[in-house]
Amino acid sequence: SPKNKSWYNSDGMTLEYTPRDNSHHFSNCSLNLNLKLNQTETVVTDNGQNNFTVNYLNEGSYNWSINCSDYAGNSNISETWQFYVDRTKPNINLITPVNSYNSSSDEINFNFTTTDNIAPTLLSNITLDGKTNNTNPITAQNGTYTNYTIQGITEGNHTWNISCIDNASNLNTSITKTFTIDTTKPTITLNHPENNTWLNNSQTQMNYTPEDT
């Protein structure tokens, strides 16, 4: 361990391995990190769990393997595994609807971008009025516009934001924006002059009353 292609948000890592030899004795085992010798251990347990600890890792991708030798001069190297270190939260930019948007439709297309320093994809949730709306997480491509449409939104004022988590469990939530749904047509009442009225002058005042929800 760690498992191949695992993601971590720590700068320290314990790399575990199990060596086996028919002599049951090893002269040493060494850790290769990104194709370079990192450290060597001369006290090695045969057919048991051994480990190397590495600290102060920068963010990025790491390849690691173990090379062991017995006292007869036989040596072998393990397969190469990979892990990632990522301690940076993803950034989220809300595109549409713009803040304080007014819509005459109960269907809204939400558009956002999320960017991460390493992860190619991120899992995202849209929160509408304080509740997660999507049943399954939205898979967002790093640095690419992501669209999600919600239908049947009730009339009134609403809030929304986006939360994204990367492969290393770094979580971030966007700012919150608002929008209003108003699907009711306004009503207009004609007050003056009354219908079918006859006028004997060339000017008159037209009076009406508009109402909206």
Side-chain angles (χ1 to χ4, degrees):
S1 70
K3 293 181 179 180
N4 194 24
K5 299 187 182 300
S6 297
W7 290 75
Y8 297 89
N9 55 19
S10 170
D11 64 354
M13 189 71 59
T14 298
L15 307 174
E16 300 175 345
Y17 65 99
T18 302
R20 298 177 180 86
D21 190 72
N22 58 357
S23 70
H24 307 298
H25 297 288
F26 292 88
S27 62
N28 65 76
C29 284
S30 299
L31 167 66
N32 299 312
L33 192 64
N34 284 351
L35 303 179
K36 293 182 180 180
L37 176 62
N38 183 269
Q39 51 188 298
T40 299
E41 178 60 63
T42 56
V43 179
V44 180
T45 301
D46 178 58
N47 200 29
Q49 182 175 288
N50 297 260
N51 64 75
F52 290 102
T53 298
V54 288
N55 294 306
Y56 310 111
L57 293 171
N58 294 322
E59 293 183 295
S61 173
Y62 291 86
N63 297 310
W64 69 288
S65 61
I66 301 295
N67 189 354
C68 290
S69 300
D70 61 20
Y71 284 103
N74 302 303
S75 64
N76 198 8
I77 189 168
S78 70
E79 60 182 339
T80 299
W81 279 12
Q82 189 175 33
F83 66 89
Y84 304 89
V85 175
D86 179 5
R87 298 185 297 275
T88 302
K89 294 180 180 180
N91 182 63
I92 307 165
N93 183 29
L94 304 184
I95 309 298
T96 58
V98 297
N99 198 35
S100 301
Y101 176 70
N102 287 284
S103 175
S104 59
S105 170
D106 65 358
E107 178 178 302
I108 295 292
N109 180 45
F110 297 90
N111 183 283
F112 66 95
T113 58
T114 179
T115 53
D116 190 74
N117 58 332
I118 301 177
T121 60
L122 301 98
L123 297 181
S124 305
N125 286 322
I126 179 167
T127 299
L128 182 63
D129 299 330
K131 296 181 179 179
T132 300
N133 186 270
N134 49 291
T135 303
N136 298 310
I138 305 164
T139 300
Q141 301 296 320
N142 188 6
T144 302
Y145 289 116
T146 301
N147 294 289
Y148 188 81
T149 300
I150 300 177
Q151 298 175 329
I153 303 175
T154 58
E155 285 193 295
N157 299 322
H158 300 276
T159 60
W160 72 288
N161 61 44
I162 298 290
S163 296
C164 294
I165 189 170
D166 64 19
N167 294 337
S169 297
N170 299 301
L171 175 67
N172 200 10
T173 300
S174 72
I175 62 173
T176 298
K177 289 188 175 182
T178 64
F179 65 94
T180 300
I181 299 292
D182 181 3
T183 58
T184 302
K185 296 179 180 180
T187 60
I188 305 169
T189 302
L190 302 182
N191 301 320
H192 181 82
E194 294 181 359
N195 193 27
N196 295 322
T197 297
W198 290 78
L199 303 174
N200 60 7
N201 54 54
S202 61
Q203 290 184 338
T204 189
Q205 185 180 47
M206 305 293 187
N207 182 276
Y208 66 95
T209 304
E211 290 184 90
D212 191 48
T213 54

